[in-house]
Amino acid sequence: MKAHKIIEVVQREQKVQYGIKSPRTLIAITPTYVRTFQALHLTGLMHTLMNLPYDVVWIVVEAGGATNETAALLARSKLEIKHIGFEKKMPIFWEARHKMESEMRLQALRVVREEKLDGIVMFADDSNMHSLELFDEIQNVEWIGAVSVGVLAHSSHSDGDPFEVHEAVDEEDEKKSPLPVQGPACNSSDRLIGWHTFNPLIYKGKSANYIGDMAIVLPRKLEWSGFVMNSRLVWKEAEFRPDWIKDLDMVVAGDGDDDVESPLSLVKDSSMVEPLGSCGKKLMLWWLRAEARADSKFPSGWIINPPLDMTVPAKRTPWPDAPPELPSNTQKVISSSTTQENTENRATKTRTPKSRRSSRGKRKHESRNADARVSTRNSGERINLMAICYGARQRGNWCCFAKRIGFLERRKDEDEEEEEETNTEEKPEGMDPKLTEVSQLFERLKAALVRNDFDTCSRLLSQLKILLIEFKSLPPLFAETPNAIQELTLARDIYEHAVVLSVKMEDQDAFERDFFQLKPYYTDVSGRLPQSPQEYPILGLNLLRLLVQNRIAEFHTELELLSANALENPCIKHAVELEQSFMEGAYNRVLTARQTVPHETYVYFMDLLARTVRDEIAGCSEKAYDSLKVEDARQMLLLSSDQELFEYIKEEHPEWEVKNGWLVFNKAKESSASSKEIPSLQLINQTLSYARELERIV
């Protein structure tokens, strides 16, 4: 302990002499939201900040509003924390999440501006990994600096190589980005000459679209976490910042929204950025986005309540190869044998031939006694036998030792046979081999669904449906069989996976068939089975399908069958709010709702609904206007670029014309007018005849 104390004192003195003389306050900005891995990520970042020898102000911006869960987690740090709620909910798509995180960081910068916090601002994402050396390095920044960021691209797909290079990448692209790193690029004189960005073409076609997608999560062109700045850059007073810095409000107003790509938008000349970490050569920060899969199950708040179920009995440990410890009485036997051996060794020099014969007789007598003790089947006696053989081996009686070892091996084989017979006898009498076969096929179906092997899934699902017919406990018979609960639960899980499979295969007819096969398990046997975690997502998915197919009457019929608790579920509320927006004509809310779907399976139907809504807007536009500016038409159709607008016109409305930046509908109106002429005279005559008939009746 003295040596450790000496080293600690020396390190402390070195920091005083050669370390940061007057460190500035560190202002860490972290966007977050409540999710499965939030506690995992925030705890790691929290302990990193707690180990810093500087004053730390931690600004945590939480999507969906400040929650008690996050506040309780942050309270453990004892740091100065500013917990800010952000009204918008975190979207499920990665691209939308990146944009929203930028908005949350700008919200934190506004807090720095309003409260005039003085120090070094760093953007510490909760899932990133930081070296402690990084925090010493950023103390050297004067106004705005940049560090290199290691990009840990990963995939949750279990069957493929997540780092496999795409075949379409040519040699030029491979040379452009030999390392998965973002950061400043310097010349031989350590002067900033540009930026080294991450090349996403290496993972073309394999990047994740939504959180929980089994694909590689890619960063933006330049991540916020790779920049640090003096907090005075965002202060409102211009005298506190140099001329080459833009005002924060002007930057946001110039972009039209809060989606600022990176802090480089705050500088007029990017060459003024200070490269840190030996001009980007040192890697002290790693970017990582690791989130739980949508079908993962974790305890709420990471508190295990109720306690865990037993999977391995205490008397049968999961490590059978570990040698058993000898009990105390066995150790006594060994020690006594060893003592006897030492005594005999000391007496060897004075023995006579007669004494040698008597000692051999004694050893034979011990051997016979050991054989008598071996005849029992008690485990404690077998351990005593091992102790006796151990003593015999120490005394040199190898014959006895070999006999005892052979006997132990035979007893081990007999015990294994008895255990197999016991396991066979412990099986339930009502175990149905058909149920076992269905369970095994279902496991194969789930594995194939994870791999997106749809052909195998379809084949296995057909086999499973045929096997389920033989179960009398399933609808419509509902017979009381010994394995009724297991059969009902297994059948419900199979049909739930069938519904998900139909969505992934984009087969609406199969979805309708599988849903109606599944529905009795949610209604008729709901009192016998525990509620499935997939019930509300699938019910909401069916409501969304009816809305996409414009079957509004059936939509409301299904809605009336749901309980009050079901209507409060986010999956059901999502479909209800969509129907309300659709009926009100608030098409913009319908299209933007795609970014906040409660489950990844909703994406398919949301794309269909967005296409239907966009066609409805286009039809109304050509009736209401003769022409529109291309920019106005793009905003009205809620498309992100002019190129998308032109592709939509080419595919859906080739009769529209684009002339000098205007979208002209005259050709469409002429064609519709020529094809549909209103027979006005005929309608007038029919109306008058109806009036005369009504007058006669009255």
Side-chain angles (χ1 to χ4, degrees), residues 64-89:
T67 61
N68 294 331
E69 299 175 9
T70 306
L73 185 63
L74 298 176
R76 306 174 190 170
S77 65
K78 308 300 182 182
L79 299 171
E80 182 181 351
I81 294 176
K82 297 184 181 297
H83 188 191
I84 303 170
F86 197 74
E87 294 182 358
K88 297 181 182 178
K89 294 183 178 180

Side-chain angles (χ1 to χ4, degrees), residues 360-392:
R360 283 196 296 270
K362 288 181 180 179
R363 287 198 292 270
K364 292 180 180 179
H365 181 68
E366 287 178 359
S367 176
R368 286 193 296 270
N369 290 339
D371 290 336
R373 296 171 70 179
V374 163
S375 61
T376 64
R377 308 183 69 165
N378 183 274
S379 60
E381 292 179 354
R382 288 202 302 270
I383 295 177
N384 289 333
L385 172 64
M386 294 172 62
I388 293 174
C389 290
Y390 178 83

Side-chain angles (χ1 to χ4, degrees), residues 344-524:
E344 290 176 356
N345 288 339
R346 287 195 299 269
T348 302
K349 295 181 180 180
T350 59
R351 272 184 191 167
T352 62
K354 184 177 180 180
S355 65
R356 291 193 188 100
R357 288 195 299 270
S358 62
S359 63
R360 283 196 296 270
K362 288 181 180 179
R363 287 198 292 270
K364 292 180 180 179
H365 181 68
E366 287 178 359
S367 176
R368 286 193 296 270
N369 290 339
D371 290 336
R373 296 171 70 179
V374 163
S375 61
T376 64
R377 308 183 69 165
N378 183 274
S379 60
E381 292 179 354
R382 288 202 302 270
I383 295 177
N384 289 333
L385 172 64
M386 294 172 62
I388 293 174
C389 290
Y390 178 83
R393 186 184 63 175
Q394 293 290 84
R395 293 191 300 270
N397 193 345
W398 293 101
C399 180
C400 174
F401 177 72
K403 289 180 179 178
R404 301 295 84 76
I405 292 299
F407 176 81
L408 290 177
E409 291 178 351
R410 292 194 301 273
R411 288 297 304 136
K412 182 179 179 182
D413 295 338
E414 292 175 4
D415 290 342
E416 290 177 353
E417 293 176 359
E418 289 178 1
E419 185 176 353
E420 291 178 359
E421 293 175 359
T422 304
N423 293 337
T424 305
E425 293 173 358
E426 289 176 353
K427 289 185 178 179
E429 296 179 359
M431 179 63 70
D432 188 356
K434 293 182 181 179
L435 183 62
T436 304
E437 182 183 1
V438 172
S439 301
Q440 293 173 352
L441 281 177
F442 180 47
E443 292 299 325
R444 292 172 56 190
L445 173 65
K446 291 193 291 185
L449 189 60
V450 170
R451 299 192 307 269
N452 290 331
D453 187 357
F454 298 144
D455 294 335
T456 303
C457 288
S458 301
R459 177 174 54 80
L460 293 174
L461 184 60
S462 300
Q463 297 177 13
L464 285 169
K465 288 183 177 180
I466 294 173
L467 291 174
L468 289 178
I469 297 175
E470 302 180 12
F471 291 159
K472 304 300 182 183
S473 61
L474 304 185
L477 298 178
F478 295 109
E480 291 292 342
T481 60
N483 299 318
I485 300 300
Q486 293 90 332
E487 292 171 357
L488 287 169
T489 304
L490 183 59
R492 183 185 65 181
D493 294 343
I494 290 173
Y495 285 122
E496 284 178 345
H497 281 73
V499 169
V500 175
L501 175 62
S502 64
V503 173
K504 289 190 173 184
M505 295 179 65
E506 301 182 358
D507 189 345
Q508 297 187 42
D509 294 334
F511 177 92
E512 187 169 5
R513 291 193 304 270
D514 294 329
F515 176 78
F516 281 116
Q517 288 177 310
L518 172 64
K519 191 175 180 181
Y521 297 90
Y522 292 157
T523 56
D524 298 339

